[in-house]
Amino acid sequence: MTEGTGQGVTGQELSQDAMRRLAQLRPGEKGSLFTSDLSVNEFLLVREVGFRPLGLVLGASVYHVGIQIGRWTKNQELAKLSQAMYEARELAMSRMEAEASALGADGIVGVRLDIEFKDFGSDIAEFIAVGTAVKADGADPGPGGTWLNNKAKPFTSNLSGQDFWSLIRAGYAPLDMVMGSCVYHVAHQRFTQALSTTGRNVEIEPYTQALYEARELAMSRMRAEGAALEAEGIVAVQLKQHSHGWGSHTTEFFAIGTAVRPLRDDHVIDRPTMVLGLDD
């Protein structure tokens, strides 16, 4: 594999353009305007639980994802590709966190982490992380006295504004988005194997085992990140599968969710109320 190199902007550095944009937000100053991709309802709910939006923060990483040679008759993880896909996302996330820290934020809500392969190269992808930086404005962080996670960074969360409201009201707080990646090659069937299943309803056990193992690797890596944060659990987990143009036998399983911690010992869950929509 040809691995991408992290030359230029590092995870903790901000470009001059980013610094100028953040300076224009002037959080806390009279007459300053915040930016946010939260919907109106999400914005109001985030405010209701004691957080004030500061501004939209983002991070990006354009990464060259190389190739890895392996035995195509064998189920196997392509470890170098797994590392590349994880590292590129981590670079985008760390740059988004650096922007939030520059604003003095306590956390980032509504984070989206996207990937787009570019027309100017099928092996060149842009990884983008974007969310709304927020500052605690009356919200109690609990016994620890801070909303920052145990990495001394603003918390990140892929929860919607509504779910963030529910989480805080119930006595929990987000710690960080945790993720795990596994790029896996599923072995090609031999001609005799393919011929033996023609016209029959039968499980292809090597394929089942390969896809199961790939998902488990991604999930276990996400859980390990949660354990490192000393989280109580991980909510809003998404397990996604992407081929990324590698072909029908190579795929990525990507697991992501929000690690959470308790704010207090007692948890009061609001009773849901029925809401009738006005749409036809």
Side-chain angles (χ1 to χ4, degrees):
M1 170 196 169
T2 302
E3 292 187 42
T5 57
Q7 298 176 351
V9 179
T10 69
Q12 297 301 320
E13 294 175 350
L14 297 178
S15 69
Q16 292 300 315
D17 289 338
M19 292 300 293
R20 283 192 292 268
R21 173 173 53 83
L22 296 175
Q24 292 172 356
L25 294 174
R26 304 188 307 278
E29 293 185 19
K30 185 177 180 180
S32 63
L33 299 176
F34 69 84
T35 56
S36 171
D37 59 351
L38 299 174
S39 69
V40 173
N41 286 338
E42 288 179 306
F43 162 66
L44 295 175
L45 288 170
V46 168
R47 290 292 287 132
E48 201 274 336
V49 287
F51 288 87
R52 173 169 47 91
L54 299 177
L56 203 64
V57 288
L58 61 93
S61 172
V62 178
Y63 213 89
H64 173 256
V65 182
I67 61 173
Q68 181 179 344
I69 304 302
R71 294 176 57 190
W72 306 131
T73 58
K74 178 183 177 182
N75 288 335
Q76 60 184 317
E77 181 186 13
L78 304 181
K80 291 183 178 180
L81 285 179
S82 295
Q83 179 185 358
M85 300 299 290
Y86 180 89
E87 183 177 335
R89 290 185 176 96
E90 183 62 28
L91 281 170
M93 289 285 292
S94 63
R95 288 166 184 160
M96 179 188 66
E97 291 168 355
E99 288 199 0
S101 294
L103 288 174
D106 289 311
I108 311 170
V109 299
V111 174
R112 302 191 313 274
L113 185 57
D114 298 322
I115 176 175
E116 179 182 341
F117 279 82
K118 297 300 182 182
D119 293 336
F120 47 77
S122 60
D123 54 357
I124 297 176
E126 182 182 22
F127 297 79
I128 304 172
V130 61
T132 296
V134 295
K135 183 75 173 177
D137 189 11
D140 182 5
T146 179
W147 288 98
L148 303 181
N149 57 36
N150 63 0
K151 297 186 292 184
K153 294 182 178 180
F155 68 77
T156 58
S157 166
N158 64 342
L159 300 176
S160 67
Q162 290 87 342
D163 286 345
F164 179 76
W165 178 87
S166 297
L167 187 75
I168 300 297
R169 287 287 297 267
Y172 289 93
L175 280 167
D176 212 358
M177 287 173 62
V178 289
M179 56 188 178
S181 177
C182 176
V183 179
Y184 206 91
H185 172 75
V186 181
H188 293 255
Q189 275 192 300
R190 295 185 179 90
F191 176 75
T192 53
Q193 292 175 315
L195 191 63
S196 67
T197 60
T198 301
R200 298 173 56 202
N201 292 330
V202 58
E203 181 183 17
I204 306 175
E205 293 186 6
Y207 283 18
T208 300
Q209 184 62 34
L211 297 180
Y212 182 90
E213 181 176 342
R215 290 187 177 95
E216 183 57 36
L217 283 170
M219 292 284 287
S220 64
R221 288 164 184 165
M222 179 189 68
R223 289 195 300 269
E225 287 200 349
L229 288 166
E230 301 178 357
E232 181 174 299
I234 306 172
V235 300
V237 172
Q238 301 174 42
L239 184 58
K240 304 177 182 179
Q241 181 179 358
H242 308 282
S243 66
H244 298 310
W246 288 319
S248 59
H249 281 261
T250 300
T251 188
E252 181 196 26
F253 288 95
F254 179 63
I256 190 167
T258 295
V260 299
R261 64 177 175 90
L263 285 171
R264 53 183 185 267
D265 293 333
D266 61 314
H267 302 289
V268 179
I269 312 300
D270 285 330
R271 184 179 298 275
T273 57
M274 181 178 294
V275 177
L276 297 178
L278 298 179
D279 298 333
D280 292 335

